[in-house]
Amino acid sequence: MKKIRSLLKNLSIHYRLLWSYSLTFLFVLSLAGLVIYSVARTTIEKNIENELKNSTQTILNMVKTAINASIRNHLRAIAENNKDIITDLYNKANKGLMSFQEASKRAKQILLSQSIGKRGYIYCINREGIIQVHPKKELVGTDLSKNNFIEIQKIKKVGYLEYDWANPGEKIKRAKALYMTYFTPWDWIISVSSYRDEFQELLSTEDFKQNILSITFGKTGYSYIMDSNGRLVIHPELTGTNIYNSKDKNGRMFIKKICEQKNGKIIYPWKNPGELKAREKLVVFNYVPELDWIVASSSYLEEFYHPLVTIAYSIGVTLFIMVILMIPITWLITSMLTKPLQVMISLFETGAQSGFVRPLDVKWGGEMGEVVKNYNRFVGTLETTRQQLEKSRDELEHRVAKRTAQLTEALGELEALFNNSQIGIMVLKGGRFLHKGNQRLADIFGYNTPAQMQGFSMMDLHLSEERFHEFGNNYFDKLINKKMLQIEYQLKRKDGTSVWCMISGKALDSKIPADLNEGVVWIIDDISSKKHNELERERLLFDLQKALSEVKQLSGLLPICSYCKKIRDDKGYWTQIESYIHAHSEAEFSHGICQDCAKKYYPDMDIYED
């Protein structure tokens, strides 16, 4: 190697470039051909595997879609049928054919008498997440809101839901599904639930069998479905056959391995009847736990590698032609390079101010030595520029860090103001759902922390669903015009009592009309005391005005007879005292007799007994 390098250094630039360029060109072409072949092979392998994976996933999705449709439709039919039964009982109670208590009791009996699959059942909760009906009587009245799926039920009330659940004493959660519908008069969310793996009998393979069998790969590749015991559920020729004990050319029980592994891929040698030798076959498979099915796609690898033969021949022919053409082309190119070399040296001297990265330590003679000398001067200039750039970068990083600290401090102050404000603040997003609130907001509505209200629908803070929609139509929807709204309105605390609030709202979206789903900020103040005082003042004022309107006053001197006690009116007539007072006031008289007069005028009667 050293002799070759020494020889090249002593050659003229013309021959040095010729041999260096020729050898490099030949090496690059050979390496490029090898890379192209390797990349093509890798790409084909990936395409094979991806195609099989995609087909397997397509079949898996097809099966899962059929499962979901069967489960959903079955549970929905049961839920809606039971709602119709409960509605009928409620209507009979409304007509007086039975009491509401009896209607509710019979509805519960009907719901609890039904089983869904092997272990499924029907239960009911209200809008607060409290169990109203359940097969286990000890759970009735229990709040299940701590479970995520119950929170979703409280919000949606109607629809399909999937979740994982482990009964008391079970360590492993299993997939479960429910369909719910809402019976408004009794505030019952009727929920029909069952484990998903109990719905295998609802699924018909005829719904998707032809679609699966129509999927092919290459000339002989196909897809199939079998259960974990090796029984073929869908296969082009062997449907219903158990192949669990099948062995490949090497004696390996590859079907057993697939059944045990359930997800993944496997390559095995397989020889069909009539063939001379075994060929490698690739199988990609996935598992459907609800049905205990394994979905698989398989194909022979050689059917996909056939294009590689064409690629290898093409690379070989191309390499041979390039070698034939390389020598004269290289000679021509090197001849063209040596002539402008002196021009290049002068250009390097002029461009030394622009610089490069590192100086060269190779010491060649002749023209190349001049190139190296000017190149190193070029690098020196670049180093100076680099140092200046680093200094500027350090100054910029310092300013960025300072500005970041200022912004962090300002953000902390804003967060502190939000959390410690003496006025409730809430931010709504996504259609009147609480995105964020402060501690004062939680205090106003009777919650311990703002986190307890996170994700609330604003319906939970209104006195009724009707008032919720009324507020939305009359006030909330008007915020799209970017106007600030301020009203006094009654809302509902956690314990169900009402609270008078001063509400101010504004949309966060800067566009007009504003997109209210982007966010609305509400400022809420508790004005219950103020409102109570106003109402009390109005009541007292009303009572005073009413009393004043009913009172008639007697004033001035009243001429009265000292013997018979008659009073002279303004016209000079003498009238009995009770007639006069009755005419000039609202007073009424009832007549009786005092003890002295009773003794005087009725001495023989004991009107008053001692």
Side-chain angles (χ1 to χ4, degrees):
M1 182 62 69
K2 290 182 178 180
K3 292 182 178 180
I4 295 175
R5 290 175 61 185
S6 177
L7 179 63
L8 288 174
K9 288 179 65 175
N10 293 327
L11 290 174
S12 66
I13 294 176
H14 185 78
Y15 286 101
R16 190 184 303 166
L17 289 175
L18 174 62
W19 286 107
S20 300
Y21 187 71
S22 297
L23 293 174
T24 303
F25 193 64
L26 183 61
F27 173 78
V28 170
L29 281 177
S30 301
L31 182 62
L34 182 63
V35 170
I36 291 173
Y37 183 86
S38 177
V39 170
R41 182 180 179 89
T42 302
T43 302
I44 289 175
E45 288 177 352
K46 289 183 177 179
N47 288 339
I48 294 172
E49 187 172 336
N50 289 335
E51 184 177 359
L52 294 179
K53 283 183 177 179
N54 292 335
S55 298
T56 303
Q57 188 62 43
T58 298
I59 297 171
L60 189 68
N61 293 336
M62 189 187 305
V63 173
K64 287 186 175 181
T65 300
I67 295 172
N68 289 336
S70 298
I71 295 175
R72 184 187 183 102
N73 293 335
H74 184 69
L75 296 181
R76 180 176 180 176
I78 295 174
E80 292 180 348
N81 183 56
N82 278 280
K83 182 181 178 181
D84 292 339
I85 294 173
I86 294 173
T87 302
D88 182 65
L89 291 172
Y90 179 82
N91 291 335
K92 288 181 178 180
N94 266 335
K95 295 176 181 180
L97 300 177
M98 65 174 66
S99 66
F100 283 100
Q101 182 178 3
E102 183 181 359
S104 176
K105 181 178 179 181
R106 290 182 60 182
K108 292 177 180 179
Q109 291 174 344
I110 292 172
L111 295 178
L112 296 177
S113 66
Q114 303 174 55
S115 60
I116 314 301
K118 295 180 181 177
R119 284 165 290 179
Y121 53 84
I122 302 175
Y123 68 92
C124 300
I125 61 172
N126 61 15
R127 289 174 54 192
E128 302 298 326
I130 308 299
I131 291 184
Q132 306 297 308
V133 180
H134 196 278
K136 295 184 178 180
K137 295 182 179 180
E138 62 272 19
L139 293 179
V140 176
T142 304
D143 187 356
L144 295 183
S145 298
K146 64 180 180 181
N147 296 297
N148 291 334
F149 71 93
I150 294 294
E151 288 293 337
I152 296 173
Q153 283 194 268
K154 289 163 58 178
I155 295 173
K156 292 180 62 175
K157 296 183 181 62
V158 176
Y160 180 73
L161 182 62
E162 295 180 1
Y163 60 98
D164 294 329
W165 179 256
N167 288 319
E170 294 180 346
K171 296 181 179 180
I172 301 176
K173 293 184 177 181
R174 293 190 298 156
K176 204 169 186 182
L178 69 79
Y179 191 91
M180 55 187 169
T181 187
Y182 186 54
F183 185 65
T184 305
W186 288 346
D187 189 23
W188 280 8
I189 301 175
I190 304 170
S191 308
V192 181
S193 67
S194 181
Y195 291 103
R196 290 173 55 85
D197 56 8
E198 297 180 2
F199 281 81
Q200 183 173 359
E201 64 273 15
L202 298 177
L203 189 63
S204 173
T205 58
E206 295 300 323
D207 295 339
F208 48 86
K209 179 178 180 180
Q210 294 303 320
N211 291 334
I212 294 175
L213 295 179
S214 65
I215 299 175
T216 59
F217 317 96
K219 295 180 180 179
T220 60
Y222 58 88
S223 296
Y224 61 92
I225 297 176
M226 66 179 176
D227 61 24
S228 62
N229 296 318
R231 186 184 66 85
L232 291 170
V233 179
I234 295 177
H235 190 274
E237 299 176 357
L238 303 176
T239 299
T241 305
N242 192 309
I243 59 173
Y244 185 84
N245 295 319
S246 298
K247 297 180 181 180
D248 61 18
K249 184 64 177 178
N250 298 326
R252 182 179 57 168
M253 298 179 66
F254 64 97
I255 295 297
K256 177 182 178 182
K257 184 175 181 180
I258 292 175
C259 293
E260 292 174 350
Q261 189 173 336
K262 290 185 172 57
N263 289 287
K265 66 177 182 178
I266 187 173
I267 297 176
Y268 61 96
W270 184 256
K271 179 178 175 296
N272 288 318
E275 294 182 344
L276 298 177
K277 63 178 182 178
R279 294 180 292 167
E280 285 192 334
K281 200 170 189 180
L282 172 65
V283 178
V284 177
F285 50 95
N286 213 326
Y287 185 58
V288 183
E290 292 92 339
L291 301 176
D292 191 27
W293 283 1
I294 297 173
V295 179
S297 297
S298 66
S299 180
Y300 288 104
L301 293 177
E302 69 173 22
E303 294 180 5
F304 293 95
Y305 287 151
H306 182 72
L308 287 176
V309 178
T310 303
I311 293 175
Y313 281 119
S314 299
I315 292 175
V317 172
T318 302
L319 185 61
F320 177 78
I321 294 173
M322 293 302 295
V323 169
I324 298 299
L325 297 176
M326 181 175 53
I327 295 177
I329 293 174
T330 303
W331 179 268
L332 179 62
I333 291 174
T334 55
S335 298
M336 295 174 61
L337 288 174
T338 55
K339 291 180 181 179
L341 190 57
Q342 292 296 333
V343 178
M344 291 176 60
I345 292 173
S346 63
L347 289 175
F348 272 117
E349 291 176 346
T350 305
Q353 301 300 320
S354 301
F356 211 57
V357 179
R358 290 180 300 184
L360 292 173
D361 57 358
V362 180
K363 296 180 179 179
W364 282 340
E367 296 90 351
M368 291 304 299
E370 293 294 324
V371 172
V372 171
K373 186 188 300 183
N374 287 281
Y375 174 79
N376 289 338
R377 290 175 54 197
F378 189 71
V379 169
T381 302
L382 278 181
E383 178 64 21
T384 303
T385 305
R386 183 188 65 79
Q387 293 176 357
Q388 293 175 349
L389 289 174
E390 286 184 351
K391 182 179 179 180
S392 299
R393 182 198 64 192
D394 293 339
E395 293 176 354
L396 180 60
E397 288 179 350
H398 175 71
R399 281 188 283 176
V400 169
K402 183 179 179 180
R403 183 57 178 165
T404 301
Q406 292 173 347
L407 291 175
T408 302
E409 182 180 358
L411 182 62
E413 292 174 354
L414 288 175
E415 189 70 15
L417 288 173
F418 179 85
N419 292 327
N420 296 295
S421 172
Q422 296 304 305
I423 295 179
I425 303 174
M426 69 165 65
V427 178
L428 304 184
K429 285 189 178 181
R432 301 175 74 182
F433 287 92
L434 182 61
H435 175 71
K436 189 174 184 181
N438 64 354
Q439 183 59 45
R440 178 55 183 158
L441 180 73
D443 293 339
I444 291 174
F445 292 102
Y447 293 88
N448 294 329
T449 64
Q452 292 180 333
M453 303 179 68
Q454 191 78 15
F456 267 23
S457 167
M458 287 301 98
M459 184 181 294
D460 296 326
L461 299 182
H462 280 269
L463 296 180
S464 66
E465 183 176 352
E466 180 180 359
R467 286 176 66 88
F468 167 78
H469 294 299
E470 176 186 80
F471 185 91
N473 295 331
N474 295 337
Y475 305 109
F476 184 86
D477 293 345
K478 295 182 179 179
L479 294 176
I480 61 173
N481 297 320
K482 297 297 291 179
K483 292 183 179 179
M484 185 169 180
L485 177 69
Q486 188 175 53
I487 60 169
E488 293 181 1
Y489 205 84
Q490 268 188 307
L491 296 175
K492 183 177 66 175
R493 292 190 181 95
K494 179 182 179 181
D495 60 4
T497 61
S498 63
V499 55
W500 275 98
C501 297
M502 176 63 72
I503 306 176
S504 302
K506 188 170 178 49
L508 295 177
D509 187 13
S510 59
K511 298 188 295 294
I512 299 179
D515 183 1
L516 300 185
N517 288 323
E518 292 293 324
V520 174
V521 61
W522 291 98
I523 306 298
I524 299 179
D525 194 11
D526 186 353
I527 60 171
S528 298
S529 298
K530 174 187 172 184
K531 202 69 178 179
H532 176 76
N533 292 337
E534 289 178 357
L535 294 174
E536 185 64 21
R537 185 171 61 250
E538 291 176 1
R539 185 185 66 78
L540 291 174
L541 181 61
F542 175 80
D543 291 343
L544 181 59
Q545 291 174 344
K546 180 178 179 181
L548 290 174
S549 66
E550 293 176 352
V551 172
K552 291 185 178 180
Q553 296 182 351
L554 294 176
S555 62
L557 295 175
L558 297 177
I560 186 169
C561 175
S562 59
Y563 294 97
C564 67
K565 307 305 179 181
K566 289 184 178 180
I567 296 176
R568 187 179 66 194
D569 60 18
D570 297 334
K571 297 180 181 180
Y573 295 102
W574 292 90
T575 59
Q576 296 290 338
I577 186 171
E578 61 267 34
S579 299
Y580 186 90
I581 292 176
H582 178 73
H584 291 79
S585 73
E586 297 295 330
E588 297 289 341
F589 288 87
S590 62
H591 290 83
I593 185 169
C594 66
Q595 291 178 347
D596 294 336
C597 291
K599 293 178 180 179
K600 179 178 177 181
Y601 296 104
Y602 303 97
D604 299 327
M605 298 176 65
D606 293 330
I607 297 177
Y608 289 92
E609 295 180 359
D610 294 335

